[in-house]
């Protein structure tokens, strides 16, 4: 089983690599579900991180329906990630009814090649996950990041298992959200190939910025090691 760490900063990415994570999903602003990191962070991580890094391509927080200008920004960022030599792209587009936008997602998948493509947690908004799974198989997506349409992946385990059985070897179901050392074994027993976790801890409980009380978090070296000890234990 592989461990992908959702790293929200340069330091989080460094901790993931030092702790022995198999892969990183790189984003910024994890408190709003993640958005695409800045060029400076992308460049620095492309130069200093040696484990595979997949980059979140999401131009803003909120829903997953994008105007033309936002979609153009997404495509520009994919081209940048290809130029910088990243391993993969994490993205996706929905229609206003929360169905998968087939044409735009296909365009992103094709543009990303030969990088891997993960359809992100927009999947947890769709009304028919089984039908959406087949659509993404047809689009030749490499994996789907999902919590099983629950707040935490542990609570969505039954749908996750069903999706894995339906997907067979056509794509990877990547459980994510709330996975830690205490519940990681559930996913190992269910024979998932990979799991996704931020392994974060709060490093700034009392923000001094009066207009932003969001606590600062970081992917923690020890938390990552604890998850790895669970999933790599024979």
């Amino acid at each position: 089983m592989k461990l992908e760490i959702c790293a929200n900063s340069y330091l989080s990415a460094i901790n993931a690599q030092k702790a022995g994570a198999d892969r990183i999903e790189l984003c910024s602003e994890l408190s709003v579900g993640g958005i695409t990191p800045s060029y400076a962070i992308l460049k620095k991580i492309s130069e200093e991180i040696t484990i595979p890094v997949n980059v979140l391509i999401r131009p803003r927080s909120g829903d997953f329906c994008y105007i033309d200008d936002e979609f153009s920004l997404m495509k520009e960022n994919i081209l940048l990630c290809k130029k910088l030599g990243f391993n993969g792209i994490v993205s996706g587009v929905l229609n206003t009814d929360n169905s998968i936008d087939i044409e735009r997602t296909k365009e992103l998948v094709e543009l990303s090649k030969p990088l891997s493509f993960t359809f992100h947690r927009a999947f947890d908004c769709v009304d028919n996950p089984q039908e959406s799974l087949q659509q993404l198989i047809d689009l030749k997506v490499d994996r789907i990041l999902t919590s099983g349409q629950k707040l935490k992946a542990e609570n969505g385990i039954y749908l996750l298992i069903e999706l894995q059985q339906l997907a067979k070897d056509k794509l990877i179901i990547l459980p994510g959200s709330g996975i830690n050392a205490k519940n990681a074994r559930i996913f190992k027993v269910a024979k998932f190939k990979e799991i996704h976790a931020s392994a974060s801890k709060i490093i700034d409980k009392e923000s001094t910025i009066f207009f932003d009380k969001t606590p600062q978090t970081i992917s923690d070296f020890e938390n990552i090691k604890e998850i790895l000890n669970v999933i790599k234990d024979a």
Side-chain angles (χ1 to χ4, degrees), residues 5-56:
I5 290 296
C6 183
N8 64 348
S9 65
Y10 169 75
L11 189 53
S12 288
I14 290 293
N15 285 346
Q17 177 165 281
K18 288 182 177 179
D22 298 288
R23 188 175 64 237
I24 289 168
E25 184 207 316
L26 181 65
C27 68
S28 295
E29 303 301 332
L30 192 54
S31 61
V32 294
I35 59 174
T36 304
S38 70
Y39 170 75
I41 293 176
L42 289 171
K43 186 172 185 296
K44 187 172 182 63
I45 285 181
S46 72
E47 294 169 345
E48 298 189 21
I49 298 295
T50 57
I51 63 175
V53 178
N54 295 348
V55 179
L56 177 65

Side-chain angles (χ1 to χ4, degrees), residues 58-190:
R58 186 183 180 208
R60 55 160 173 77
S61 60
D63 65 21
F64 301 99
C65 307
Y66 303 109
I67 62 173
D68 290 344
D69 287 340
E70 291 173 329
F71 190 62
S72 294
L73 290 173
M74 295 170 73
K75 291 189 289 185
E76 286 296 323
N77 275 321
I78 287 175
L79 293 174
L80 173 62
C81 290
K82 292 175 72 172
K83 182 178 180 180
L84 291 173
F86 285 105
N87 177 75
I89 297 299
V90 183
S91 194
V93 186
L94 299 182
N95 296 307
T96 55
D97 64 355
N98 281 338
S99 62
I100 292 174
D101 187 327
I102 301 295
E103 292 306 314
R104 280 189 160 183
T105 299
K106 180 179 180 180
E107 191 172 344
L108 297 184
V109 172
E110 292 297 321
L111 183 63
S112 299
K113 291 179 179 178
L115 278 58
S116 73
F117 192 95
T118 301
F119 193 90
H120 57 33
R121 287 193 60 203
F123 186 85
D124 289 323
C125 299
V126 303
D127 290 329
N128 189 328
Q130 294 81 6
E131 179 183 44
S132 297
L133 169 65
Q134 186 57 56
Q135 291 172 334
L136 293 174
I137 289 172
D138 293 340
L139 290 175
K140 300 189 185 307
V141 165
D142 294 289
R143 64 180 56 79
I144 299 172
L145 172 61
T146 171
S147 64
Q149 300 199 322
K150 299 293 185 181
L151 185 61
K152 303 296 183 183
E154 182 177 6
N155 298 326
I157 189 66
Y158 296 114
L159 178 57
L160 289 168
I161 291 172
E162 179 187 353
L163 294 172
Q164 179 174 241
Q165 292 170 342
L166 290 171
K168 298 180 181 178
D169 59 351
K170 296 174 183 176
L171 58 71
I172 294 170
I173 298 298
L174 175 61
S177 186
I179 297 180
N180 52 49
K182 293 180 180 178
N183 59 24
R185 192 171 298 279
I186 295 171
F187 304 93
K188 182 177 180 179
V189 170

